[in-house]
Amino acid sequence: GRQHDRLGFDLTYFNKISKDLLLRLPLAPSSGFGSAPLVNIGEVQNKGFEMSLRATPVDRKNLTWDFGATLNTLSNKINSMGSVTPFVSGNNQCFKPGIELGGWCLSQVVRVDTVAKKAFVSDTAMFVGGSIPGREAGFQTTMTLFKNFRIYAQMDGKFDYKIYNLTRDFRDRTQKNSAEVN
């Protein structure tokens, strides 16, 4: 059997500042331009950890069991927009200092009048969550029997982020045909 390298652990911390990041600035159709220009938004900070553990707890002639686990974290935010005014893109992603890069910004329900059957929403788009996972975790295991037969399993997950349904948003705003609207 392999008596060496039966246990391993890796840990990485990163803290990176990116400058001169280019993004497409949305323009009103009435401006006459066919495509949005690239603009420099200044500075974005990314930091987090990447960790992994791998082990071979059993290593016999006819049975080997290996497993591994990973955990990654990411925190990012726009530090500076330079000379660009903060904006919300056509697909509801916001770009402004202090907010996660490409986070979701939407009008929020401020109050509901149940008697008049009306909902009142905010005038401006508010940050509701990030589009990039803040944590990712995974686990994988392999069992090898008689050196030729392998059983493999893997689980992974992404956490601390939001998925925005642009299709439902489009239907609600243009066709008003979702269950929530009707």
Side-chain angles (χ1 to χ4, degrees):
R2 304 170 293 157
Q3 297 301 317
H4 63 287
D5 196 28
R6 291 186 56 175
L7 182 65
F9 179 74
D10 294 317
L11 175 65
T12 303
Y13 170 74
F14 60 94
N15 188 353
K16 179 182 178 184
I17 294 184
S18 301
K19 295 183 178 182
D20 301 328
L21 182 65
L22 295 175
L23 292 174
R24 294 218 176 266
L25 181 66
L27 293 177
S30 60
S31 69
F33 291 98
S35 66
L38 290 172
V39 293
N40 180 329
I41 70 158
E43 185 178 288
V44 175
Q45 181 178 20
N46 288 294
K47 62 183 173 179
F49 287 96
E50 296 175 349
M51 297 170 268
S52 69
L53 172 69
R54 65 189 179 291
T56 305
V58 176
D59 190 7
R60 306 252 190 263
K61 182 179 177 182
N62 290 321
L63 173 65
T64 304
W65 174 36
D66 298 300
F67 76 86
T70 58
L71 175 65
N72 305 314
T73 66
L74 174 64
S75 171
N76 81 42
K77 69 176 179 174
I78 298 173
N79 290 338
S80 161
M81 294 285 290
S83 61
V84 177
T85 302
F87 64 93
V88 177
S89 71
N91 66 353
N92 297 323
Q93 288 183 295
C94 51
F95 298 89
K96 62 183 178 178
I99 298 291
E100 177 180 313
L101 184 63
W104 301 113
C105 285
L106 305 164
S107 296
Q108 293 293 294
V109 174
V110 178
R111 181 172 62 88
V112 175
D113 184 339
T114 55
V115 175
K117 296 185 179 181
K118 290 185 179 181
F120 297 88
V121 298
S122 59
D123 291 337
T124 59
M126 299 165 59
F127 178 72
V128 295
S131 61
I132 302 169
R135 289 181 298 135
E136 296 184 57
F139 174 79
Q140 56 279 342
T141 186
T142 305
M143 190 158 298
T144 307
L145 303 168
F146 308 108
K147 298 186 183 189
N148 292 320
F149 182 69
R150 288 191 177 159
I151 300 170
Y152 180 80
Q154 177 178 345
M155 294 186 333
D156 59 27
K158 297 180 181 189
F159 311 94
D160 299 333
Y161 74 110
K162 298 209 182 271
I163 297 174
Y164 184 67
N165 187 339
L166 291 166
T167 302
R168 193 170 101 187
D169 184 13
F170 175 76
R171 287 179 185 149
D172 287 350
R173 292 177 191 277
T174 60
Q175 300 167 5
K176 304 200 183 319
N177 68 352
S178 72
E180 290 82 4
V181 171
N182 291 319

